[in-house]
Amino acid sequence: MGQMNDEHDRGIALALLSFTAGSMDAIAFLTLGDVFTSAMSGNTILLGLALGEGRMSAAWHSLAAFVGYVAGVAGAALPLRTPTRGIERTLVLETLFLAAFAGLWTACGGPVRSSVVYGFIILSAIAMGLQGAVGRAIRIPGIPTIVITSTLTAIVGTVAERMLARDRPVLTAPTRQQIGTFLVYLGSAVVTGFAASHWLAGLPFVPMAAVFTLTLGLRLRMLRL
């Protein structure tokens, strides 16, 4: 029973983290100038395209995201030296950076000035770097919390292998968890797109709400990792 509860709690945590990353990347791409602040693989492509096309402003955006992300991952190293409490403390830090992002958004009315956009990029990238370090600390194979390509590869690869081997069930518990994570990540973009069209002022609160919910659940011992 305890193991089932732990798996359930981890499933909730992964869903909330995936929602945070997906919505933050959607916000960054829609409003911060063609940049991703959690998916560094996509950000690498955007950086390369910007350099190749001579769009230096876009290149600087991608570089700012890299700097912020690296700072977030490095900054998580100290609290994560004690894994259980460290995950909670790191999520608190992520929540604070996302709150700062939302506060700056509210104060400026969104990223409307070119000089302010770097503040938005760096704040969100630091938060995503912290989350990337948390995802690594949780150590669930095939389910990162900031990029989804490896998750999709794991889903398709495992299902194909089990079908060829005629193993049953085709969808194992880890595969179902991976599918859930993938759908949450997709859903986060849908929610963000809707908010961008109908509630722009509340857009930065979407990812913050997800990670705050997880942090509060851990703090109140309603969830365990």
Side-chain angles (χ1 to χ4, degrees):
M1 181 66 70
Q3 184 177 359
M4 290 180 62
N5 288 337
D6 288 346
E7 290 178 358
H8 177 264
D9 288 354
R10 284 193 170 195
I12 293 174
L14 288 169
L16 290 169
L17 289 172
S18 296
F19 187 92
T20 302
S23 58
M24 192 68 255
D25 262 340
I27 290 170
F29 190 78
L30 287 173
T31 67
L32 302 182
D34 293 348
V35 64
F36 293 117
T37 55
S38 77
M40 288 298 112
S41 54
N43 198 47
T44 301
I45 297 300
L46 293 175
L47 173 60
L49 287 172
L51 290 172
E53 295 171 352
R55 295 182 292 111
M56 296 312 298
S57 177
W60 281 114
H61 288 180
S62 293
L63 284 171
F66 272 118
V67 170
Y69 189 86
V70 169
V73 175
L78 181 59
L80 287 176
R81 292 180 71 182
T82 53
T84 303
R85 296 291 293 177
I87 288 174
E88 183 181 322
R89 292 183 184 121
T90 306
L91 288 172
V92 169
L93 285 174
E94 181 185 354
T95 303
L96 291 174
F97 275 101
L98 289 177
F101 178 90
L104 184 61
W105 183 291
T106 302
C108 297
V112 293
R113 292 188 300 233
S114 59
S115 60
V116 181
V117 74
Y118 291 100
F120 287 108
I121 291 171
I122 290 173
L123 286 172
S124 61
I126 290 174
M128 292 300 97
L130 290 165
Q131 178 165 310
V134 168
R136 183 168 177 261
I138 294 175
R139 293 176 181 170
I140 298 183
I143 310 182
T145 63
I146 51 172
V147 289
I148 212 69
T149 305
S150 58
T151 303
L152 182 59
T153 303
I155 293 169
V156 177
T158 301
V159 170
E161 289 166 1
R162 292 184 68 82
M163 289 181 68
L164 288 171
R166 297 184 179 180
D167 290 336
R168 294 293 183 271
V170 173
L171 297 180
T172 62
T175 300
R176 289 196 298 271
Q177 194 173 53
Q178 290 163 353
I179 291 171
T181 302
F182 178 82
L183 292 176
V184 168
Y185 194 84
L186 174 63
S188 70
V190 175
V191 171
T192 303
F194 181 84
S197 300
H198 298 84
W199 189 40
L200 190 61
L203 193 59
F205 295 95
V206 173
M208 188 188 78
V211 77
F212 176 76
T213 300
L214 174 57
T215 305
L216 187 63
L218 292 173
R219 191 72 177 173
L220 297 178
R221 301 296 179 264
M222 296 171 65
L223 295 173
R224 297 178 62 184
L225 293 177

